[in-house]
Amino acid sequence: MLSIQRGPHYNTPKDKLVIVAANYDTEKDVPGVDDNGSGVAAVLETARTLATFDKVYGRLNTIIYAFFDMKHQVRHHAFVEEVLLPYLAHTNTTVAGVLILDGLLHFDAFPTSQGVPKGFEEMFPTAARELHEHQHMGDYIQVTGRERKDDDALQIFFDAFYLSTAKLTQDWSFQPWLLLLRLPMHTLTSVDDYWFADSTWCLFLRAQGNLKMCCGTFLFAVKFRGVRQYCPYCDSLFMLTDPNMRFLTVIVEAVIRTVIFLSESEARTVVDDLLQFQRPNNFGLKSLDSHEGANLMRYP
């Protein structure tokens, strides 16, 4: 499923695409509140916010919101292989950045709550050291990109995340942080052989080329965090706790900031004031408050 917010140069070589995507399916018999209801909610909130800003502020670049299914099967490559790459070839349009959001809701600040898959330390020694220094707490959002190719987009997201953190977490008892995984594309010959190969963003890696990436999380951060390591079926409404919702708030605001800058929206000059006005909406999740186990964030 695709939704497009067109820029003034849409369908021409002057346009730059900003792609925000999430898979909307989940594991069999798993409710999927986090994996990947959280990613879908983040994409929808980003689209709603940018549509609101577009009523007042101009924007140069086109934004595409994409939702995939069949995440673990070959057909989830269809958007890149059958839509995006032919479109880029036909129009000579370029890509300003890609954000793929997967598993954004689960926050666990207890020591040893974050596991890693076999081979992680060898492939990402710097990230493994950071995790060790943080006592393997699951209190971070994992950001993945390719060495050198994605540095500009990653820097924009990093700046956006820490701006959002500074604005939102002053009175919080925890401080979320970013764990960066940089893929060594000069030595990575195939993503199919690695434990993260079923993650949706791999379809963009398969495309190679000059697509700029800026991704949400690896699948391992979801499957190897907290109770989900032992109970995959616990991905239910009980995930909607106050810390988890606060965690999601920071991430979504960072995504919105990133999209505003990548799309070259005039709203970037007043983004702090605009987001302050937007926050009471709580991403449309207040209606879930009546569900047992749901402890949603309350804004002052």
Side-chain angles (χ1 to χ4, degrees):
M1 295 186 291
L2 300 177
S3 178
I4 301 175
Q5 292 174 339
R6 298 183 180 185
H9 305 299
Y10 179 70
N11 212 29
T12 74
K14 293 183 179 180
D15 198 15
K16 297 178 182 178
L17 301 182
V18 180
I19 301 169
V20 189
N23 67 286
Y24 63 85
D25 58 339
T26 186
E27 298 279 0
K28 183 179 180 181
D29 299 325
V30 176
V33 171
D34 181 28
D35 184 15
N36 190 29
S38 62
V40 171
V43 175
L44 291 173
E45 176 63 11
T46 301
R48 186 195 68 81
T49 302
L50 267 294
T52 301
F53 292 173
D54 280 355
K55 295 177 181 178
V56 180
Y57 300 97
R59 174 174 45 80
L60 286 181
N61 299 331
T62 294
I63 307 172
I64 297 178
Y65 303 96
F67 300 92
F68 311 103
D69 64 353
M70 303 181 74
K71 172 181 174 180
H72 304 284
Q73 303 178 44
V74 68
R75 288 302 299 167
H76 81 286
H77 302 168
F79 169 64
V80 169
E81 296 173 353
E82 299 176 14
V83 178
L84 180 60
L85 293 182
Y87 176 79
L88 295 177
H90 176 70
T91 62
N92 288 321
T93 299
T94 57
V95 176
V98 179
L99 296 94
I100 303 176
L101 310 177
D102 190 356
L104 309 177
L105 186 62
H106 196 176
F107 178 89
D108 196 324
F110 289 97
T112 71
S113 60
Q114 180 67 61
V116 296
K118 183 179 179 181
F120 176 79
E121 293 85 354
E122 290 76 16
M123 189 169 185
F124 301 106
T126 301
R129 184 173 63 252
E130 288 185 82
L131 274 178
H132 179 72
E133 292 171 352
H134 283 83
Q135 299 179 287
H136 282 263
M137 295 182 185
D139 58 349
Y140 62 89
I141 180 67
Q142 183 176 305
V143 182
T144 308
R146 300 165 298 179
E147 286 185 352
R148 294 185 293 275
K149 282 182 176 289
D150 304 325
D151 287 352
D152 291 344
L154 287 169
Q155 188 61 58
I156 291 173
F157 183 79
F158 266 59
D159 292 344
F161 179 84
Y162 286 112
L163 276 171
S164 296
T165 301
K167 295 287 184 181
L168 291 171
T169 66
Q170 294 178 2
D171 60 341
W172 294 7
S173 60
F174 61 87
Q175 193 76 13
W177 58 287
L178 291 177
L179 178 69
L180 174 62
L181 301 185
R182 301 181 74 216
L183 292 172
M185 297 307 296
H186 60 287
T187 60
L188 192 64
T189 57
S190 172
V191 296
D192 293 313
D193 299 329
Y194 291 91
W195 35 261
F196 52 76
D198 62 349
S199 195
T200 308
W201 59 265
C202 286
L203 61 92
F204 288 91
L205 292 183
R206 286 185 175 89
Q208 298 294 315
N210 294 315
L211 297 186
K212 293 183 178 179
M213 302 284 292
C214 182
C215 304
T217 63
F218 265 148
L219 198 60
F220 91 78
V222 176
K223 287 189 173 181
F224 289 81
R225 180 169 292 180
V227 68
R228 300 272 296 285
Q229 299 179 68
Y230 320 104
C231 178
Y233 304 102
C234 294
D235 186 7
S236 64
L237 288 175
F238 291 95
M239 294 290 294
L240 299 179
T241 64
D242 185 78
N244 283 353
M245 292 303 298
R246 289 173 180 258
F247 189 52
L248 181 61
T249 301
V250 172
I251 298 167
V252 173
E253 185 161 304
V255 169
I256 292 171
R257 288 178 184 272
T258 302
V259 173
I260 286 173
F261 276 82
L262 289 175
S263 65
E264 299 184 55
S265 168
E266 293 174 354
R268 64 186 181 274
T269 60
V270 289
V271 63
D272 288 335
D273 292 336
L274 292 172
L275 289 176
Q276 179 64 39
F277 177 76
Q278 292 285 314
R279 285 172 194 146
N281 291 319
N282 203 25
F283 311 141
L285 290 172
K286 285 186 177 179
S287 61
L288 293 177
D289 194 32
S290 60
H291 288 277
E292 182 180 0
N295 181 19
L296 300 185
M297 180 175 179
R298 289 287 187 269
Y299 290 95

